[in-house]
Amino acid sequence: MRFVLMASVLLMTACSSGDVGSGKEGGPPATVTVVRVAPETWSDRIQAIGTAKARDSVVIAAKQSERIAAVRFESGQRVAKGQVLVELDAGTVKAELAEAQANLNDLNAQVARLQNLQSRQLVAKSQLDTVMASRNAARARVQAAQERLNDRIIRAPFSGVLGLRQVSQGQFVNAGAVMVNLDDLDHLWVDFPVPESLLPQLKTGMTLELQADAAPGQTLPARVVGIDSRVDVATRAIMVRGAIDNAAGLVRPGMLMRVSLQQEAVQALVVPELAVQQVGNRTFVFVANTDGTAASRDIRIGSRHLGKAVVLEGLKSGENVVLDGTSKLRDGQKLKVVPATP
């Protein structure tokens, strides 16, 4: 009786062990979608944050301490180069100019008369030289008075758009007082930092794509026109300058710009980001082996863009990478492979 009981126990144990093994090896394969890895043309991008600046920007300020006689502009007005913006009171200077001009005219007449007399040897040459020196000094005083008068007429140094008016007619202003800002909005720059490690990849003429909060969903074209001569020792970045095509007038100086710098196209192994798994410090993908089993493969990822990632190490061209269905995969598991739809 004891022998029969022990035989029954052994038979049940054997049957149970056989069932477990059958379930592990004979279960249904995992259905997965795979993509074949092959070299693709890849144009890497550098992302940065920049600030828009006017190519020409100036603060219009008073050169002299004086009362404002006339303000000839309005806030936000577009002005041409040389256009009069503000006139300061110039009554005293005009009188000085008139006096200096009258003195010059008198000395010119004296020089002309003495030259006539000296040609006939009726006056000494030294007398003519003295009057000519006085005439030259008077001419310089006229020029100085004219410059003082010009300083009281403030003009636009270049064509552009004015900011908010800061002064009014009749107001007394000190030298250096701000009257208005002037910016050239047709020609703008964007300055942005790039890590020093990417310096060998930078060159003038590279294409930029800009985005601004003021133009959501729109991409503004630009190109690199300058690279700074030195690296910032604090940030270890170098400033790059791009020229903005602002024909639509969407960008204003001081605006925050999201910059995307497109590098030259190269050949690289690229996989969909959906296939890349990240567990702790490990980055890997599942590869479908030729024997129909899954194998995890550690990889090193480079740049990412538009749902794709560059594989720097860990994969070879022609291998099949599992695109989806990876959440329950394990090494050695049987696979039912479905090629990804192109």
Side-chain angles (χ1 to χ4, degrees):
M1 189 66 178
R2 181 179 299 176
F3 176 77
V4 174
L5 182 59
M6 291 180 62
S8 299
V9 171
L10 291 174
L11 180 61
M12 291 175 63
T13 303
C15 291
S16 176
S17 300
D19 290 343
V20 173
S22 176
K24 181 178 180 180
E25 298 175 3
T31 301
V32 295
T33 303
V34 300
V35 291
R36 185 177 294 274
V37 179
E40 294 183 16
T41 300
W42 179 263
S43 183
D44 206 356
R45 291 175 179 269
I46 300 172
Q47 307 292 332
I49 298 296
T51 303
K53 297 181 179 181
R55 185 183 68 176
D56 292 316
S57 180
V58 69
V59 175
I60 304 297
K63 294 183 179 179
Q64 304 288 335
S65 297
E66 192 56 82
R67 183 182 63 85
I68 295 177
V71 177
R72 304 195 180 279
F73 70 91
E74 295 298 334
S75 299
Q77 180 181 344
R78 181 175 288 273
V79 296
K81 180 179 180 179
Q83 183 172 331
V84 176
L85 303 178
V86 177
E87 294 181 13
L88 300 178
D89 184 66
T92 301
V93 178
K94 287 180 179 179
E96 293 174 355
L97 177 60
E99 179 182 2
Q101 187 64 57
N103 186 38
L104 176 61
N105 293 339
D106 179 61
L107 289 171
N108 282 333
Q110 292 185 41
V111 168
R113 184 173 63 254
L114 289 175
Q115 284 177 335
N116 182 39
L117 295 174
Q118 204 277 331
S119 64
R120 292 181 289 166
Q121 303 294 321
L122 297 178
V123 296
K125 179 68 167 53
S126 59
Q127 186 176 352
L128 174 60
D129 292 341
T130 300
V131 176
M132 290 184 66
S134 299
R135 190 269 309 270
N136 293 339
R139 183 181 294 158
R141 286 192 291 272
V142 169
Q143 293 176 348
Q146 185 63 56
E147 288 298 323
R148 290 196 297 273
L149 180 61
N150 292 341
D151 287 344
R152 283 162 172 77
I153 301 176
I154 300 173
R155 304 175 183 271
F158 52 85
S159 298
V161 178
L162 296 170
L164 299 178
R165 191 177 78 173
Q166 304 293 332
V167 293
S168 301
Q169 183 174 345
Q171 176 183 348
F172 185 88
V173 293
N174 294 318
V178 176
M179 297 181 173
V180 68
N181 296 328
L182 175 62
D183 296 298
D184 180 4
L185 299 185
D186 294 331
H187 304 89
L188 296 182
W189 285 328
V190 56
D191 290 351
F192 57 96
V194 173
E196 64 177 11
S197 59
L198 299 177
L199 181 58
Q201 305 174 34
L202 298 176
K203 65 179 182 180
T204 58
M206 296 180 71
T207 301
L208 298 175
E209 292 182 355
L210 310 176
Q211 290 184 334
D213 292 340
Q218 296 190 42
T219 299
L220 305 175
R223 60 184 179 86
V224 175
V225 295
I227 302 171
D228 203 355
S229 60
R230 60 182 62 183
V231 174
D232 190 312
V233 296
T235 63
R236 292 303 174 188
I238 190 167
M239 293 301 295
V240 180
R241 173 167 291 173
I244 304 174
D245 181 2
N246 196 39
L250 298 175
V251 182
R252 293 295 181 99
M255 287 178 58
L256 182 92
M257 308 296 294
R258 297 175 180 84
V259 184
S260 178
L261 177 61
Q262 185 172 357
Q263 299 176 270
E264 292 184 355
V266 295
Q267 293 295 308
L269 290 180
V270 179
V271 297
E273 283 188 292
L274 186 61
V276 180
Q277 306 296 310
Q278 187 74 46
V279 177
N281 294 327
R282 186 189 181 202
T283 303
F284 63 96
V285 295
F286 277 99
V287 176
N289 293 325
T290 55
D291 61 359
T293 60
S296 62
R297 184 79 60 77
D298 290 340
I299 61 173
R300 187 164 68 90
I301 293 296
S303 58
R304 304 172 185 243
H305 183 60
L306 296 178
K308 293 186 176 182
V310 174
V311 178
L312 302 178
E313 294 178 1
L315 286 178
K316 296 179 181 180
S317 177
E319 291 187 298
N320 290 318
V321 172
V322 178
L323 180 60
D324 56 12
T326 59
S327 59
K328 297 181 180 180
L329 283 184
R330 61 182 183 274
D331 287 327
Q333 186 172 358
K334 288 290 187 179
L335 301 177
K336 179 181 179 182
V337 174
V338 178
T341 303

